[in-house]
Amino acid sequence: DAGVIQSPRHEVTEMGQEVTLRCKPISGHNSLFWYRQTMMRGLELLIYFNNNVPIDDSGMPEDRFSAKMPNASFSTLKIQPSEPRDSAVYFCASSPQGLEQYFGPGTRLTVT
Amino acid sequence: GENVEQHPSTLSVQEGDSAVIKCTYSDSASNYFPWYKQELGKRPQLIIDIRSNVGEKKDQRIAVTLNKTAKHFSLHITETQPEDSAVYFCAASMSGGGADGLTFGKGTHLIIQP
């Protein structure tokens, strides 16, 4: 198994631009999570899906953030418009429901 | 919501000695407590976890203990080795981990001195 796949691995963009992060969970896992990691705030849960349905998006910081999971093998996290304070590492994780979460390699986002 | 406190933020031990990292949680409904290890620039990797129906779990040099009454849990690493140097995160959630997101502690930077 290839594990959780995220793309791009690095993204540098200018303030105001739209950013789309992508995630492919491990096949057979039916829960998917988006986390953000910064030095100041640590690892924070943004949103998670069970069986492609968003369950809890209370961690999404603002309306500029949105996430979708159109099918069991793909999810996106979009930031529009991006701001410098969105700079962070964004991790996607997947889990067979009720069991351990496995993290992807992350996307390092820099907004200038 | 859940709040997880982790101590210490930095821990330096001599190679071969033991290391202990402690966490407390606030929500008595939490029942799943994983520990992740993160090396610089890498993803968090699950190293051990414990569920609330168990008080202790061990895997080679790593053990985790849970005290539900006091709402705290700890990671114990024995016979530390240089490759144990990393940041360790504790976390808590209210289900098996697959149906609920994790709330993480702020992390402990473990330094193994040669």
Side-chain angles (χ1 to χ4, degrees):
Chain A
D1 199 322
V4 176
I5 298 172
Q6 291 187 246
S7 65
R9 296 293 308 277
H10 301 273
E11 176 81 30
V12 180
T13 191
E14 292 184 347
M15 182 174 62
Q17 296 299 306
E18 177 180 297
V19 175
T20 299
L21 312 181
R22 297 172 175 81
C23 176
K24 176 179 169 57
I26 295 171
S27 178
H29 286 193
N30 51 13
S31 295
L32 183 141
F33 307 80
W34 283 100
Y35 293 91
R36 178 172 69 174
Q37 186 174 34
T38 62
M39 288 296 294
M40 289 298 294
R41 299 177 67 87
L43 271 162
E44 303 174 280
L45 175 68
L46 299 177
I47 185 172
Y48 73 95
F49 299 81
N50 283 344
N51 298 311
N52 312 338
V53 176
I55 302 300
D56 183 358
D57 65 355
S58 60
M60 297 284 262
E62 301 171 31
D63 290 345
R64 299 183 296 107
F65 286 68
S66 63
K68 294 182 179 179
M69 192 166 186
N71 57 62
S73 59
F74 185 65
S75 177
T76 60
L77 178 67
K78 185 176 294 186
I79 308 172
Q80 166 62 17
S82 57
E83 296 183 2
R85 59 191 167 130
D86 302 331
S87 297
V89 179
Y90 291 81
F91 288 104
C92 174
S94 72
S95 172
Q97 193 161 7
L99 298 175
E100 300 84 2
Q101 295 186 24
Y102 296 92
F103 281 69
T107 295
R108 182 173 296 277
L109 173 65
T110 303
V111 183
T112 61
Chain B
E2 175 66 275
N3 182 52
V4 177
E5 299 284 341
Q6 183 172 348
H7 300 281
S9 57
T10 303
L11 178 60
S12 181
V13 301
Q14 289 293 124
E15 182 179 349
D17 288 350
S18 295
V20 180
I21 302 171
K22 299 181 179 181
C23 290
T24 60
Y25 61 98
S26 61
D27 193 334
S28 57
S30 289
N31 59 8
Y32 175 66
F33 308 93
W35 286 86
Y36 284 82
K37 175 184 180 182
Q38 187 177 31
E39 297 176 348
L40 188 63
K42 302 289 182 63
R43 76 190 76 188
Q45 291 195 299
L46 179 69
I47 56 172
I48 195 168
D49 58 11
I50 192 168
R51 287 171 170 78
S52 60
N53 58 347
V54 176
E56 182 173 0
K57 183 176 179 181
K58 190 173 182 180
D59 183 4
Q60 299 183 351
R61 296 186 297 109
I62 295 173
V64 58
T65 59
L66 171 65
N67 183 327
K68 282 203 68 181
T69 303
K71 290 191 280 190
H72 66 69
F73 56 114
S74 301
L75 177 71
H76 304 252
I77 306 174
T78 59
E79 300 172 12
T80 53
Q81 301 169 4
E83 54 264 37
D84 294 330
S85 294
V87 179
Y88 291 80
F89 293 93
C90 61
S93 83
M94 283 199 297
S95 66
D100 194 17
L102 296 171
T103 300
F104 284 90
K106 287 291 190 283
T108 295
H109 185 191
L110 178 61
I111 301 166
I112 308 301
Q113 302 280 4

